[in-house]
Amino acid sequence: MELSRRNFVKFGLGVAAGTLLTPLPWKLLDDIAIWTQNWSWVPTPLRGKVSTINSVCTLCSGACGISVRKVGDRVVRVEGRDFPVNHGSVCPLGLAGPQLLYNEAIRWKAPMKKVSGKWQEVSWDEALNMLASRIKASPGKLVAIDGNQSMSTMAALVRRFLDAVDSRNYVTMPREEDTHAAVSSLMMGSDLVAFDLENSDFILSFGCGLLDGWGSSRMLSIWSRNNPYLVQVEPRLSNTASKADNWLAAFPGTEAALAFGIAHVLIKENLYDKDFVNSTSGFAAYANVVESYSPQAVEKITGVSKDAIVDVARSFSSAKSPVALVGQGKGNMLGNLQSFMAVYALNALVGNVNKKGGILAYDSDNIKAKGLLEFMDSDSSCVDTLLVFSANPVYTVPSCEDFAKALAKIPFVVSFSPFKDETSLMADLVLPDHTHLEKMADIMQPAGLQCYTLSKPAVQPLYNTMHSGDFVTALAKKLGIPFQSSFEDALKERAKLLSISWEDVKESGYAKLSGKLSGKKFSFAEVKHVSFPSVNGLVLCPVELINIASGWIANPPFLNKTLFEHQLRKGELFVELNPETASELGLKESSRAVLKTLHGELKVRVHLFDGAMPGVVFIPFGLGHTAYDSYLKGKGVNPNEVLESWHTKVELREVV
Amino acid sequence: MKKRSDKRYGMVINLDKCIGCGNCVVACASENNVPVMHDESDKTRSVSWIQLYLVTNGKKFPDTELVYIPRPCMQCDNPSCVTVCPATATRKDPNTGTISQIYTRCIGCRYCMAACPYHARSFNWFDPSFPEGMTRYLSPEVSPRMRGVVEKCTFCHHRLMRANAKAYAEDRRELKEGEYFPACAEACPTKAIAFGNLDNPEHKVSRLIKSPHAFRLLEKLGTEPKVYYLSKKAWVRRMVYNHLKK
C-alpha cells in the first residue's frame, strides 16, 4: 500500500484507537500511580501482639493514671485511664510521651564524660569509680540539685545519700509548693497543706492556671465533673479566665490587695464565720490591717471595680464550701509570701479550714530543704561536685544566664538527665536515667488526695541507661555506706513504712494514705500591710500554657502542632499585647520588637490580643531551647533569660 | 449518592467546655501516625487532621471572651470533596456515613482540598518525616502516607473496625454506645467531645444536637456536616451565622 498522507493519518488513528482498546494505557497509568507512591522511605509500622500496660505518668508531680498501648515490644500510644487522681484526663505532654521515649536525637544512649570538650562513652563501672573517688576526696563539697517530686522515694534517696556522705547541700528546684509550705507553717502550724478542690463548690483562684496545667489534669477532671463556680484573678484572659464564671483582672502583683478588699467586705458586712474566727489567734490585728482596704481603695490599687469586689465577697461567703487558693501558672515558681498569706486568711474568714471542700493542713514530719536561690547566692568555690537530678536549671530558672555562669565555675557537674538538655550539655559527666516509660518511680501526695502512686516500666530500657535510684545505691555501696541495695528495695521499704501492700500498689499503681488533719490553731498574726508599687511603664509577665511543656521536660514535637501562628511562626516567638498599649508604642500586629529588661534583651514579635491587660507584655514559657534536636531547638526565645520574677519591668521597642 | 447512610456517626463538641489544651490534636496525631515537621508553625505545609481555631468576641479588655473551636473533618452528609475527586479516592461510606480517603488511589490533584469549605484536608508536600528513631511508635492500624497525597480525619475508622471485630467475636451485630469513639473524643480531658450515632435516639449525641445551643459550621452551604457544636454564648452562635447580619 502506498504511504499517502491519507493512509498515514488513517494508520495513526488506527494505532490510537487500537491502543485505547487494549488495557495498556490504563495499566501504564496505574503503574505510574503506584510507582509515584511507592517510596521505600515511607515507614512500615511493624505488626505484633497488642497489649496494654496500666501505669502512672511521672512527667510532672500530677501522677495521672495512664494506659500504655503496645504493639509487640513497642509503645504506640499513651491514653488516660480511670484513676482516682485524674479520672481519665491527661494533658498533651503525657499523651506525647512516646515521642520522649523514642526520639533518638535528644536522648543520651550511654554514660558519657567530657574530655577536653568532646564526649566520650564510658562504662557504668568507670563512671561509678570516677564519681566515688571524687566524693571521697571532698564530701563536704558535694551538692545535689533535685527536681524530683519532694515526697518521692527518689528524692528521699538523694537526700539520704547526701546526709550519709556528710554533705548538707541538698537543694530542690524552686516551686510553689515551698511557698505554700512556708505560709501554712506560719498560719496553720503544718507545712503539709492542700486545697480540697474535689469537694468545693466555689473556687476563688488567685492566679492559679487551673485549666492551664495547675494541679495537672486532675483539675481539668474536677472542673468538668463537678462544675464548681470559678472566680479567676488574673491579668490575662487565659484559658482559665475564659472559662471562669467570673474573671477579675487585677494588676499583676496586687493579688494581696484584692484579697484584703474581699476580707474588708466580709468583716464590714458581718459575713464571716464568727465561731471559727473565735478559735483563731491574731484576728484583731488582721482586722486592723484589712480596715484600710475598702473596696474603693482596692479598686485604685488593683483596677478591679468596687462592685465586683463586693459581689465576689458576698457570693464567696454564701457558698456551701468555698475555697480560696493562690498560685501562678502551673505552679512551677515560688510565690509571694504576703499574697499567699492574704489568701489563706480568706479561707479562715469563711471558716473553711480543715473541712471538706476547704483548705486542709495535715500533720507532717517537717521536711527541710534548702532553696535553690540560697545555693546560687553562695560562693560557688565551696562546691566541687554538683549532681543534677530530674532538672534542667540552666533553662528553667529565672535569669538563667547567671545560673549558667555559676554552673560553669563548678569543677565537676554530673547530670542524670535522660535528655540532651541545656544543663546536661554543660555537665562533665552524664549518667542517663531511664525515661518515664522505662522505669519505676513513685509520686506521693500525702495531703488532699492522700495517695501514693507508682509507675511501672512499659518497655525495657532502649539504651544503655541506668535508673538513677540504682546508681545512687550503687554509689553508696562503693563508698562503703550502709544503704538500700537497690531502688526497688527502697520502694519496698517505703511501702512497708506507709503500711501499703507492695504487691497491690505495684499492680494498680495506687494506694490510699490515711493522713491526719493537724489540729493546730489558725493564726492571722503574720498578715501585715503590704506596699503595692504604683504601676508605671510596661510590665513583663510570663504565661504558662497547657500545650507547651515549660518545665524540665522539653516540648515534644507533637505539641508544636497545637500552637497558633500568632504564638510561634518560623522560629519567632510572639508576645501578647493589648491593642491600645501597642498603638501607644507604635506597634502593629506581627511587628518585630526588642524586649529589654535589666537582665538582657530578647527579639520577639507582637500579637495584639484584647484579652491582654493594657500595660502588660505576656510571654509564654517553654520555647527557645538551645539544646535538643532541630524539632525543638531555636524555636522562639526563653523568657527566663530576662525575667527576675513573675513580673518584671520591661521596655519594648520596634525593630525596623 | 444516597443522602443518608445507615448509621450516621457524628460528633458534638461543647465549646463551653473546650479549654483549647490541644489534647485532641496530639491524640489524633499519635493515633493516626501523622508526621511532624521541623517547622510546625508553617500551617500551609504541616499536617493536622484536627485543628484548633481561636475566636474572641471582639470586645475590649476586660470584657473580652474567647472560645476555641476544634475542627476535625465534618464528615458531611453531602460532601463537596467526594463529588470533585477524579480518582474515586474519597467516598462516603454508605454504612457509617464517614468520608474515607484511599491514599493509594489519590493522585494528589488537591481538588478536594479546594472543594472542602472547612480546610479539613492536608496535602503531603514532603515525604513523611519523623524525628530520628520515632518511627518506632507508629501504629500498624493506620498506614503512613506518602508524599503527594491528601489526608484527613477518618473518625478513627480503624477504631470502628476494632470495635466491630470485638463485637463480632462476642456474637453481637450492633455496637453499644461508647464502644466506638475517635481518639480525640477519648483524649478530651474535660469531656467536651461527645460521639455516637446521630440517628440512634439512645445515643447521647442524638439528644445533644436538638439543643437550642447546637449549631454547625457553614450550614448555609448545604454540606450537612455531622460535627455539631454547642455553646451557650450567644456571640459564638451569632459569629457562625455572620452572613445573616453584620
Side-chain angles (χ1 to χ4, degrees), chain B residues 81-139:
Chain B
C81 54
V82 169
T83 46
V84 298
C85 181
T88 0
T90 184
R91 178 182 97 110
K92 189 170 119 187
D93 188 316
N95 296 317
T96 61
T98 43
I99 315 297
S100 64
Q101 178 75 16
I102 301 163
Y103 311 120
T104 44
R105 276 192 197 165
C106 177
I107 56 170
C109 69
R110 296 186 282 137
Y111 279 10
C112 55
M113 287 177 72
C116 175
Y118 303 101
H119 293 208
R121 294 169 161 268
S122 312
F123 184 64
N124 283 280
W125 290 93
F126 309 104
D127 292 317
S129 83
F130 299 94
E132 211 181 322
M134 281 210 206
T135 51
R136 284 176 288 182
Y137 67 65
L138 295 182
S139 157

Side-chain angles (χ1 to χ4, degrees), chain A residues 99-387:
Chain A
Q99 290 203 318
L100 294 169
L101 170 69
Y102 287 126
N103 191 349
E104 222 161 80
I106 68 165
R107 288 201 54 184
W108 291 105
K109 291 183 207 158
M112 301 283 242
K113 71 172 176 191
K114 210 188 251 164
V115 183
S116 52
K118 285 207 177 116
W119 290 107
Q120 218 172 68
E121 196 175 323
V122 290
S123 72
W124 281 103
D125 275 341
E126 205 179 318
L128 201 61
N129 288 330
M130 210 153 96
L131 196 54
S133 60
R134 193 118 199 158
I135 293 169
K136 225 176 235 169
S138 50
K141 289 187 176 182
L142 177 71
V143 177
I145 294 182
D146 189 7
N148 285 300
Q149 197 247 353
S150 58
M151 299 281 174
S152 66
T153 303
M154 190 58 215
L157 267 191
V158 175
R159 213 160 43 221
R160 192 163 179 180
F161 174 75
L162 260 76
D163 277 350
V165 298
D166 227 9
S167 158
R168 292 193 192 144
N169 308 315
Y170 175 75
V171 182
T172 58
M173 290 297 289
R175 48 196 156 196
E176 201 174 288
E177 207 184 310
D178 302 341
T179 316
H180 278 298
V183 170
S184 66
S185 323
L186 285 173
M187 302 181 84
M188 303 174 76
S190 157
D191 61 358
L192 207 54
V193 72
F195 299 94
D196 191 9
L197 301 172
E198 267 87 356
N199 295 308
S200 174
D201 63 340
F202 189 110
I203 299 177
L204 173 53
S205 149
F206 287 81
C208 297
L210 297 175
L211 305 179
D212 296 89
W214 190 94
S216 77
S217 315
R218 174 189 153 212
M219 193 52 227
L220 306 181
S221 120
I222 293 172
W223 180 72
S224 76
R225 282 181 303 132
N226 302 354
N227 201 16
Y229 190 85
L230 180 60
V231 182
Q232 178 72 359
V233 181
E234 206 178 344
R236 175 181 172 266
L237 182 66
S238 63
N239 292 349
T240 315
S242 74
K243 289 292 173 272
D245 300 277
N246 191 355
W247 170 39
L248 303 177
F251 295 135
T254 62
E255 290 82 4
L258 187 60
F260 286 158
I262 293 169
H264 179 98
V265 177
L266 291 176
I267 295 173
K268 265 274 135 62
E269 300 193 358
N270 262 321
L271 295 172
Y272 65 101
D273 184 338
K274 276 157 220 101
D275 292 342
F276 180 78
V277 165
N278 285 338
S279 73
T280 63
S281 64
F283 178 71
Y286 168 72
N288 202 20
V289 168
V290 165
E291 179 65 38
S292 55
Y293 290 90
S294 65
Q296 289 83 349
V298 172
E299 178 172 339
K300 272 196 200 117
I301 305 173
T302 62
V304 177
S305 81
K306 53 182 190 294
D307 297 339
I309 298 168
V310 175
D311 277 355
V312 165
R314 285 181 189 154
S315 49
F316 184 62
S317 69
S318 63
K320 217 171 94 202
S321 38
V323 64
L325 76 159
V326 54
Q328 273 150 341
K330 291 180 188 166
N332 292 330
M333 271 173 105
L334 288 170
N336 175 298
L337 227 52
Q338 287 300 334
S339 40
F340 272 51
M341 288 202 279
V343 174
Y344 272 52
L346 284 181
N347 289 300
L349 279 182
V350 291
N352 216 359
V353 173
N354 289 340
K355 272 189 208 154
K356 220 174 172 187
I359 183 167
L360 311 171
Y362 288 81
D363 262 339
S364 71
D365 304 326
N366 203 13
I367 296 154
K368 289 197 176 73
K370 276 175 87 178
L372 184 67
L373 294 169
E374 282 171 56
F375 156 71
M376 276 184 65
D377 290 341
S378 75
D379 184 8
S380 47
S381 68
C382 65
V383 182
D384 175 64
T385 304
L386 173 71
L387 312 178

Side-chain angles (χ1 to χ4, degrees), chain B residues 151-237:
Chain B
E151 62 182 80
K152 67 156 200 92
C153 156
T154 61
F155 267 178
C156 287
H157 193 262
H158 59 283
R159 282 180 162 236
L160 172 65
M161 302 206 297
R162 202 196 290 163
N164 274 339
K166 189 168 169 271
Y168 196 82
E170 288 165 9
D171 215 16
R172 284 182 289 127
R173 294 295 173 269
E174 284 296 322
L175 292 181
K176 282 183 263 179
E177 182 176 16
E179 267 192 298
Y180 158 50
F181 44 86
C184 54
E186 191 262 324
C188 180
T190 56
K191 306 273 173 287
I193 306 181
F195 187 83
N197 182 356
L198 300 174
D199 281 350
N200 188 335
E202 281 163 27
H203 286 198
K204 196 178 154 200
V205 284
S206 70
R207 289 192 302 277
L208 289 176
I209 59 172
K210 290 186 187 125
S211 153
H213 303 127
F215 61 90
R216 295 181 288 183
L217 298 182
L218 299 174
E219 261 176 290
K220 60 174 173 177
L221 299 179
T223 49
E224 303 281 326
K226 286 199 286 289
V227 175
Y228 288 73
Y229 295 92
L230 292 176
S231 179
K232 285 189 179 152
K233 292 182 177 50
W235 67 266
V236 177
R237 300 197 301 274

Side-chain angles (χ1 to χ4, degrees), chain A residues 555-599:
Chain A
N555 214 30
F558 272 154
L559 299 199
N560 290 341
K561 276 192 191 293
T562 67
L563 296 178
F564 294 107
E565 261 181 310
H566 62 252
Q567 290 176 319
L568 181 75
R569 201 185 301 165
K570 295 237 183 278
E572 286 178 307
L573 187 72
F574 282 66
V575 294
E576 285 174 351
L577 210 56
N578 190 283
E580 282 170 21
T581 314
S583 72
E584 278 164 29
L585 295 165
L587 294 164
K588 292 188 198 71
E589 175 67 42
S590 304
S591 292
R592 288 188 169 81
V594 167
L595 195 148
K596 190 179 165 196
T597 73
L598 284 175
H599 295 274

Side-chain angles (χ1 to χ4, degrees), chain A residues 37 41 74 77 90 239, chain B residues 23 31 47 68 106 127 136:
Chain A
Q37 294 170 359
W41 48 89
R74 303 181 300 123
R77 271 295 314 269
V90 278
N239 292 349
Chain B
N23 261 20
E31 177 82 22
V47 178
Y68 292 94
C106 177
D127 292 317
R136 284 176 288 182

